């Protein structure tokens, strides 16, 4: 009986690992990725409004410049600069391929020869940003629908990690670090180059990046890449299909739970809370609160949090300029 | 008679497409490119002096730092940091090759093995920046002379686009997007990496880039790359020689006209005014005023414009005209 | 007698050029490189505290954000963000390989397939940052010990330049500029990409870079690369082994002297003082003072110096907050 269940689990894993990704799963990947792009909060420049100026009744010239230039959000960007918006969308969809190609010395633009993928992603981008009445966006944002897409995106992510490590192993048979790095960038995608993706939209936030404030998918991709590398080099005695299946189940359940509860706590927190103090001293764990506020893209994380605080305290100074200030803080 | 003229036109186009570029046309390309580098306005940092500090009688520490450090212009840079200036000049001359090599996974430094081109460009750089009495600069800036060089630069640009697409087609037979991207970067050159070219000189303007505010040559290169891609894949039923000839004529006449009249309006404005509202909503066209102030390198465009105005309005601050100021800042 | 000494010198050079670098010399290279990382002064953001705000009794929101986010130094970084710290350490150790691979179109991650080198560098990183009682750091910082490591690092640097040029020569037989560039990046390493290495740690200093303010090792690497290129192309009539030996002796003596005396003056200053005015006008030499204050990484060089000056002038405004301000300005 147990043998039978084991057999059927192995077979399930094997057939699961052979499901083709292209039309349906890739579509979900594109939808969720571009949704995140549209979610991005107001894309102001990295200049935090300064209290001193506020008190003097003047407004920050650069902040207002950026407002009048209209770079106030992804929607605004897509209206005014469709090409920049489209490029950002492509980075969100194919960033992992670009980064992996960069690491492995292949043409950066290699993946863009898959016309059908590019056209599919472009269609998703167009529908999400320009669909009349925002109909498409509202449909895919409906939580049950979105959860399905999120789950399917994780399937693609895990498969990408596995393929990336297989590919790196092909080039560097004993290159452990190469395999881990390739798997990591294949899993994390655009997050690891978020600084430069933002720069494309005229946003520059040098004080944070995905490596300083890792989001759950980035961290999970790193751990996943280590696991798959162990499997690839035969240190982990499981078949690749099983590992794909198990890790996909883990990622899907975590990500769906996190998305459903709008939570930012990471399942690795407990583990890291034990390991980090032993390895790196005690401060490591203390950052997780900052870390998780950043959301999937580490965007407004600690910066927004801290910049909000002085603004708040200053409100008590001059009651009159409250509205102006909160507007600016956004 | 008509047949004859058609024949002779075809022959003219063919012989035109076979004119070797190296010594003369390339020289013009280098001269105009490095002229643009010398034209670059005051290379101050992107910190706009702040009114609050101004009122207190103090100057912005960073602004004065950049001034006393002497990074106030390309000439100053060439005097103090000749190597940085030379590297910038090389990027201006060969940026298109570097970007195309990056995209296609070839050595970034590949083109630098053409010693004669590098030496020619270096000689032009030296003459433009260090010629006694600024004689060379004054000669090539004389409008009729400059117009000839500008025209010849466009000949090189169009040829580069065609060659780039041919090269990309060789690698990716059905890679439409790869071909367009390669042609675009070959045509646009350093403009697409202007942020990083500026960084080399200690200047950082993250709030703008060439993709957000496309100049005429960048836009024309994009459209040209689409046309040449259509030709390469046999969707456009003209010979490559004819397309090169026609597109060169278009680019030469546009660029010469724009340079002669110091105008920044783009011949694509009308076309985009029709298409953008249909495809992307109405806001798209409204940005062209900002766009065009940026000039060929999108450099000081909206930033300079906006930063200049609040500085002006600061003089009125003591009179308590707050609202006027905020309006002006917009 | 003279023939004998010449022979023995040649033999000495030859056997010196055959000493294997891997365990001992590479170890020294890693130790000194990661020491420099730990030396890095307070890694604040590039926002200089503003006096105006100070006077108003408020603190710069971003400055406090960076402080509370804890990015105040390399040690702090290693505690809170061990992965970012490790990546920085790897860039410090292997930056030269990454840059050379980028230039020559090889996989960026190529060198990371040398597991033993990576593990050795990681062990050094761990010992320097996390050794109990900071024992390892204190040992290697003890001046006589450190001088030995510094000397051995220069041996590795010169060998890297020679190997880089040999490698580039293999690809581009007549590519003078390619050879010089490859040798230069192999010798300079992480310094040439310090802006991006800092970005990884959340620090962004666009107003300076290694090319604007070259440190002694960067400059020496450039001159060395030119010499080795001349040797490789048979314009310099010495054997490669002799050139390696002579240039290593020069680098070792210079760097040991500079480190022992904590001096920042460069032995090239006199030479450049003669050549620059002739070639590039008179201003060039005047920058060397700025240049050298930057230290090995050109970090807070002129910026810190100049930002201190207005701070000074502001001290006359409010006598009380003098100490606080100067501390912040540092």
């Amino acid at each position: 009986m147990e043998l039978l269940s084991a057999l059927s689990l192995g077979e399930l894993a094997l057939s699961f690992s052979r499901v083709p990704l292209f039309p349906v799963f890739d579509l979900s990947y594109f939808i969720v990725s571009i949704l995140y792009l549209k979610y991005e909060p107001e894309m102001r420049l990295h200049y935090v409004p300064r209290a001193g100026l506020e008190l003097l009744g003047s407004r920050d010239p650069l902040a207002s410049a950026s407002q009048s230039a209209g770079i106030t959000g992804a929607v605004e960007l897509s209206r005014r600069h469709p090409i920049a918006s489209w490029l950002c969308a492509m980075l969100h969809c194919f960033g992992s391929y670009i980064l992996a190609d960069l690491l492995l010395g292949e043409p950066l633009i290699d993946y863009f020869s898959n016309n059908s993928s590019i056209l599919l992603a472009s269609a998703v981008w167009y529908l999400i940003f320009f669909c009349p009445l925002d109909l498409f966006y509202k449909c895919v944002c409906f939580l049950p629908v979105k959860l399905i897409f999120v789950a399917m995106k994780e399937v693609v992510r895990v498969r990408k990690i596995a393929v990336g490590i297989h590919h790196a192993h092909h080039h560097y048979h004993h290159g452990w670090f190469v395999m881990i790095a390739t798997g990591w960038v294949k899993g994390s995608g655009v997050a690891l180059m978020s600084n430069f993706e933002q720069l494309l939209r005229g946003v520059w936030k040098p004080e944070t990046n995905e490596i300083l404030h890792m989001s759950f998918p980035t961290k999970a991709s790193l751990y996943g890449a280590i696991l798959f590398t162990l499997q690839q080099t035969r240190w982990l005695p499981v078949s690749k299909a099983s590992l794909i299946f198990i890790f996909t189940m883990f990622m899907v359940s975590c990500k769906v739970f996190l998305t459903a509860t709008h939570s930012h706590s990471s399942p690795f927190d407990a583990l890291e809370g034990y390991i980090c103090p032993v390895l790196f001293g005690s401060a490591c764990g203390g950052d997780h609160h900052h870390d998780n506020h950043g959301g999937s893209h580490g965007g407004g994380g600690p910066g927004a949090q801290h910049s909000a605080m002085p603004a708040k305290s200053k409100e008590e100074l001059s009651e009159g300029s409250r509205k102006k200030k909160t507007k600016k803080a956004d």
Side-chain angles (χ1 to χ4, degrees), chain A residues 136-291:
Chain A
F136 187 81
Y137 180 73
K138 281 169 188 162
C139 285
V140 295
C141 263
F142 180 54
L143 196 61
V145 178
K146 198 175 138 190
L147 288 182
I148 293 170
F149 286 140
V150 164
M152 288 165 90
K153 183 182 176 179
E154 296 310 308
V155 174
V156 179
R157 191 196 300 277
V158 175
R159 204 76 80 76
K160 270 180 171 179
I161 298 175
V163 169
I165 283 165
H166 186 84
H167 186 61
H169 181 252
H170 181 77
H171 287 292
Y172 299 95
H173 267 283
H174 300 288
W176 289 65
F177 294 99
V178 177
M179 281 186 254
I180 293 172
T182 310
W184 190 28
V185 300
K186 282 298 272 290
S188 308
V190 76
L192 287 180
M193 56 170 169
S194 55
N195 285 65
F196 296 98
E197 186 265 339
Q198 288 164 358
L199 182 59
L200 198 64
R201 305 185 310 237
V203 178
W204 185 243
K205 294 173 189 156
E207 67 277 8
T208 187
N209 62 54
E210 187 69 19
I211 289 170
L212 285 181
H213 300 285
M214 281 199 206
S215 61
F216 167 69
T218 308
K219 225 170 230 175
S221 295
L222 178 57
Y223 296 145
I226 293 171
L227 283 182
F228 278 98
T229 301
L230 289 174
Q231 192 278 328
Q232 185 79 46
T233 51
R234 312 255 172 249
W235 284 79
L236 204 73
V238 292
S239 74
K240 184 178 280 185
S242 308
L243 187 59
I244 289 179
F245 185 73
I246 296 164
F247 196 68
T248 305
M249 288 302 110
F250 168 74
M251 287 297 288
V252 165
S253 49
C254 284
K255 203 71 212 300
V256 165
F257 176 79
L258 291 176
T259 308
T261 59
H262 294 285
S263 158
H264 288 296
S265 66
S266 151
F268 303 124
D269 280 357
L271 190 74
E272 283 165 10
Y274 279 106
I275 294 176
C276 278
V278 176
L279 282 178
F280 308 115
S282 58
C284 172
D287 186 58
H288 286 289
H289 296 290
H290 300 270
D291 191 6

Side-chain angles (χ1 to χ4, degrees), chain A residues 101-141:
Chain A
D101 285 336
L102 182 67
L103 287 187
L104 295 174
E106 280 154 28
L108 286 198
I109 211 172
D110 194 65
Y111 199 80
F112 283 73
S113 58
N114 295 301
N115 295 327
S116 47
S117 290
I118 307 289
L119 288 175
L120 189 63
S122 302
V124 170
W125 164 75
Y126 192 84
L127 283 172
I128 283 182
F129 279 100
F130 303 106
C131 185
L133 302 173
D134 232 2
L135 219 66
F136 187 81
Y137 180 73
K138 281 169 188 162
C139 285
V140 295
C141 263

Side-chain angles (χ1 to χ4, degrees), chain A residues 26-36 93 124 128 136 140 149:
Chain A
D26 274 352
L27 182 68
S28 314
Y29 191 92
F30 300 154
I31 288 173
V32 176
S33 299
I34 298 175
L35 269 189
Y36 275 121
C93 291
V124 170
I128 283 182
F136 187 81
V140 295
F149 286 140

